[in-house]
Amino acid sequence: MLHFKQNKLTNALISAGIITMSTSFLAYSQEEVDQGDEDVEVIQVKGFRGSIIESISTKRFAAEVVESISAEDIGKLPDSSIAESIARLPGLAAQRLDGRASRVSIRGFGEDESGTTFNGREQVSIGDNRGVEFDLYPSEIMSGVTVYKTPSARIEAEGIAGVIDMQTVDPLSKDERVLQFNGQYEKTSFEKLNPDGNDDGFRGTFSYIDQFADHTLGVAFAYSTMSSPNQEKRWNAWGYPTFEYEDGSQGSILGGAKPYVRSSTLERDSALLVIEAEPNEQLHMTFDALYVDFSDEKILRGIEIPFAWGQGSISADSAVIDSESGFVTSAVTTGQRVVVRNDYETRDAKLNSIGFNTEYFASDTLTIEFDASYSKVERDIWSIESYSGTGRGDARGEADTLGYTFDGGNTGAHFTHELDYSDYNLIQLGGPLSWGWSSALNDQYGVTGTEYENQLQDGFINAPNIDDELMALKLAASMEVDNDFISSVDFGMSYRDREKTKTSEGYFMTLSSFSYPDNPGTMIVPEQYRLGSASLDFIGMGDMLAYDTNALIKDGYYNLLAESLTNSSHATKSWTVQEQVTSAFVQGNIDAQLGDIPISGNIGLRYVQSDQSSQGNAFNTIDGLVVTEPTDISHDYTHLLPSLNLSFRIDDEQSVRFGAAKTISRARLDEMNASINASYSQIVDENGNNWSVSGGNPNLEPKEAIGIDLSYENYFNQEGYFAVALFYKDLNKWIFDGNFEVDMTGVADPATGEIPDSPIATGSGKTNGGEGTLWGYEFSLSLPLNIMHENLDGFGVIASYTGVESDIQDQNGNDYELPGLSDSITSVTFYYEKNGFQARTSMRKRGDFKGDVYGLGFTTDQVDIVGETIWDAQIGFDFEQAGIESLAGLSIFLQAQNLNKEPFTSLQGDNPLQVRDYQDYGSTYLLGFSYKL
């Protein structure tokens, strides 16, 4: 029987591009391979082409359906971002967040439906939910990424869409010491949009890999630092209210807008340590530790412009109406005051992750594995809004005459104005509109019942934070068996304990100089805090004043008052969710023969026992103040998850794959928390319950899917293949809005402080109930052009296309569109690499989709995002490959990201003129080097 397996030499030769992995070659005995090892002349294919060969090898010989990217050396992934790299893989797409590819969807499913692991271990996240933001992880210290599109019983993470595994280097896989320095200079195509912003930055990486004690001990260390700028010109609409014309037809108009310019700097320091030991033939141990210090600073300046939702008078004579939609594309309002904003935000996160893995080869047929890991992330956001205008409140100070015109093309509107918003004598600190309706704020300053009531919000601070902690243990074994169908059996158990806590708070800002009735007005910006002006010419608003908001707060120019005293939303958004998951699995690894066709793959079963609980608040508003009582609600459930992966090798080059599995995706954490708005009535409702609650649902269970995959793969060259794949998923227990039952035993009525006799509540929020199907197809190709003619050696094309369709309904039969689903995803890379010269250009394109963005108070809002096409390009030169020995080890490159300056656009409603967001990021350029000793 043919044992179709790889060994270390085979892997090395594949990575070097020496062999094409013919079956006859692999049929050699280990003795023949070892004997020939001394005589092989290694002619390595390095660089980008070398990474293609290794990625193709990973895909070809994986038991599951996978896609992968790999790096020739640590710090040399093809892109500067992990998300950008994997977004080029077949069936994958990335959503940009503040101009950076951060969230990844797989085959039409959003980030919440996929799992992410680091060296095979599930990871914590800095967001409110499970989805990982990949810009937290530095690509500079990764050796590769594998995306599992079909599962197997051994894989620890869960996800209906798939699992993304990031991998670090194995130091013992290297044959020699590696000492490497990477450096990059980064520049945005925009000049400074804010006077205190950055338009350039840098990245640097130092890596060291070595082996000791006769190659039985390996050490890898990498340190990476970056200060990466990102700038944006943004149109943002409040909304588009509808109305009725005299003839009864429907119309809509701009309610208001918040255009601004943003300057961000992402600073990230990370350190990776890997220690690998093989003290003898029976024992293999690996310890890895990752530390990331992440800080994203944003400076935002813009003007809030009320229109239909404002105080001004709109002239009917000035209105221009789109005849097809009834949308008012141009209008003028008089007597309108605006809010000039100087905002500042920091998003700080610290990630610690450690893991220990040991394999003990107890005998020739039995291997025992133990794995332990711990990861923790702490994230704090401090988001400041500072307001200024011509006077305090709605009726004081000079008003403006403002006009808008929508340009078409999803770019938002262009404004006209009369006032000079860069005049420090005209525009002063203080709230120009009546925001901040808080009884506690009014009472604090004694303005209740006066003309200044509800006019003391001179700014606002959002301050949510996240703590996410995960501990995992696994004990597993692999036993070879003497069987014509199963070559080995893997089995084991794992346990993971996760706790995620979110605390939400907000603060009203009021000028410390305010006092009623002595000094109720606004304040001129002190000279020492003035920074000049920022230009809003892109939106037609000219220059606006710029000042240092953060310094004003630090120096005591504002007093703060907690919003949670009177606003119950912070109680809703503060919670703890805990999960204890115990799993057991058994998997048979298939190595069989069907006639003349070798069959490989696996068949397995995973049992998952989940115990989840949540602690939060039951709250109500009594006499204008929020009153809370603690809640603690638990739920448990089990799943049996069978999986099957089969690969039929037709000949040396061709294979057919089949996969079938049941998978789950756990509910979003912000939807399964125990923070609820609760009220108790002596009169029962239609369900026979006295309690009525709305908010999170701690009884939510995972969404489920049964998936089928079928693919044909043809590996016609060490650097080339093409594949065709079909996939289908039957979805159940999808999560939608609805009603559910909650046990409130032990929870006191917030209105009385007493525990009622009847503990059962009718809940309103998210519940399991919807179902549907998703299906699609993929075409992927890697084509080295030297197979056509030897003069084309070095040229190549990598391309893929994915089409996806879905049919999903909620529990009431209403159609539903999955977040992250684009009906088409395309990726193309053209490359040339030979004699040291490297050049490539890449395009990734996706259709329209629904995506999550941050809303008011850092809530997660789902919006309609317009499809996008992004082009990147890179040229480089490797002196060693060019034969310049005096500069051996040195390579240089120039990279351009978003070369075509593709914006990010989201819409509100079906009318393409009703643009919610139009974000222009420009392009980013990187000039870098790598020097390897």
Side-chain angles (χ1 to χ4, degrees), residues 194-210:
N194 285 284
D196 47 346
N198 295 316
D199 60 359
D200 63 352
F202 67 91
R203 305 179 186 209
T205 303
F206 164 75
S207 57
Y208 167 77
I209 303 175
D210 209 347

Side-chain angles (χ1 to χ4, degrees), residues 124-128 131 133 135-136 294 347 349 377 379 466 500:
V124 293
S125 62
I126 62 174
D128 294 0
E133 294 182 10
D135 53 3
L136 178 65
F294 172 102
R347 185 170 61 122
V377 68
R379 186 215 71 190
I466 287 285
K500 188 158 193 164

Side-chain angles (χ1 to χ4, degrees), residues 110-129:
E111 58 175 7
D112 292 322
E113 315 311 332
S114 60
T116 301
T117 58
F118 179 65
N119 286 334
R121 308 175 184 113
E122 187 175 352
Q123 286 298 286
V124 293
S125 62
I126 62 174
D128 294 0
N129 296 294

Side-chain angles (χ1 to χ4, degrees), residues 379-401:
R379 186 215 71 190
D380 297 299
I381 291 178
W382 189 252
S383 182
I384 307 169
E385 304 172 3
S386 175
Y387 310 148
S388 54
T390 59
R392 180 179 294 280
D394 290 330
R396 302 179 189 89
E398 189 173 351
D400 202 354
T401 297

Side-chain angles (χ1 to χ4, degrees), residues 136-457:
L136 178 65
Y137 293 89
S139 63
E140 296 88 346
I141 63 174
M142 301 296 173
S143 65
V145 181
T146 300
V147 180
Y148 292 88
K149 292 180 176 178
T150 61
S152 62
R154 282 192 65 102
I155 296 176
E156 287 299 312
E158 300 118 355
I160 287 175
V163 174
I164 301 171
D165 182 41
M166 299 176 286
Q167 300 124 21
T168 57
V169 68
D170 297 325
L172 287 182
S173 67
K174 302 293 182 180
D175 295 327
E176 58 186 5
R177 175 185 299 168
V178 176
L179 193 63
Q180 187 164 314
F181 302 88
N182 299 333
Q184 300 175 29
Y185 172 74
E186 187 172 356
K187 183 79 167 62
T188 67
S189 61
F190 292 138
E191 298 296 328
K192 288 185 179 182
L193 298 182
N194 285 284
D196 47 346
N198 295 316
D199 60 359
D200 63 352
F202 67 91
R203 305 179 186 209
T205 303
F206 164 75
S207 57
Y208 167 77
I209 303 175
D210 209 347
Q211 303 80 34
F212 307 92
D214 196 23
H215 218 84
T216 61
L217 178 66
V219 176
F221 173 78
Y223 172 76
S224 175
T225 184
M226 70 177 291
S227 179
S228 175
N230 184 273
Q231 299 197 99
E232 170 194 354
K233 299 175 183 178
R234 175 182 289 191
W235 157 268
N236 178 258
W238 289 1
Y240 299 90
T242 58
F243 59 90
E244 188 173 288
Y245 289 108
E246 292 181 355
D247 62 1
S249 62
Q250 292 294 310
S252 58
I253 189 172
L254 175 67
K258 184 178 65 177
Y260 59 80
V261 290
R262 173 183 59 82
S263 298
S264 296
T265 301
L266 175 58
E267 296 185 346
R268 186 182 62 204
D269 291 289
S270 53
L272 170 72
L273 175 65
V274 180
I275 301 174
E276 186 179 13
E278 288 184 344
N280 53 55
E281 294 183 354
Q282 284 75 43
L283 188 62
H284 176 264
M285 297 178 290
T286 305
F287 170 82
D288 59 79
L290 173 66
Y291 171 76
V292 180
D293 189 344
F294 172 102
S295 178
D296 191 7
E297 179 191 64
K298 301 179 186 177
I299 301 166
L300 308 99
R301 292 190 172 92
I303 300 179
E304 299 252 18
I305 307 172
F307 216 88
W309 286 329
Q311 60 188 187
S313 174
I314 299 175
S315 170
D317 295 337
S318 69
V320 177
I321 301 170
D322 177 57
S323 58
E324 293 185 5
S325 64
F327 177 64
V328 180
T329 60
S330 181
V332 174
T333 181
T334 57
Q336 181 60 61
R337 295 169 179 84
V338 303
V339 180
V340 179
R341 289 182 50 167
N342 278 253
D343 297 356
Y344 176 84
E345 178 185 314
T346 59
R347 185 170 61 122
D348 298 325
K350 287 182 170 58
L351 169 71
N352 291 279
S353 178
I354 59 173
F356 175 75
N357 180 275
T358 182
E359 289 180 294
Y360 178 65
F361 302 94
S363 67
D364 292 340
T365 60
L366 177 63
T367 303
I368 300 172
E369 178 190 8
F370 172 74
D371 192 275
S373 63
Y374 172 83
S375 59
K376 179 180 176 65
V377 68
E378 298 175 347
R379 186 215 71 190
D380 297 299
I381 291 178
W382 189 252
S383 182
I384 307 169
E385 304 172 3
S386 175
Y387 310 148
S388 54
T390 59
R392 180 179 294 280
D394 290 330
R396 302 179 189 89
E398 189 173 351
D400 202 354
T401 297
L402 298 160
Y404 78 80
T405 300
F406 274 81
D407 306 322
N410 293 335
T411 60
H414 202 81
F415 287 93
T416 60
H417 63 101
E418 295 181 356
L419 297 183
D420 180 3
Y421 292 101
S422 65
D423 185 345
Y424 279 91
N425 292 316
L426 176 66
I427 307 301
Q428 301 183 12
L429 299 175
L433 296 178
S434 296
W435 292 354
W437 288 48
S438 166
S439 59
L441 188 62
N442 292 328
D443 293 343
Q444 176 87 1
Y445 292 93
V447 298
T448 302
T450 75
E451 61 177 313
Y452 288 95
E453 185 176 10
N454 298 323
Q455 297 179 12
L456 300 187
Q457 184 176 335

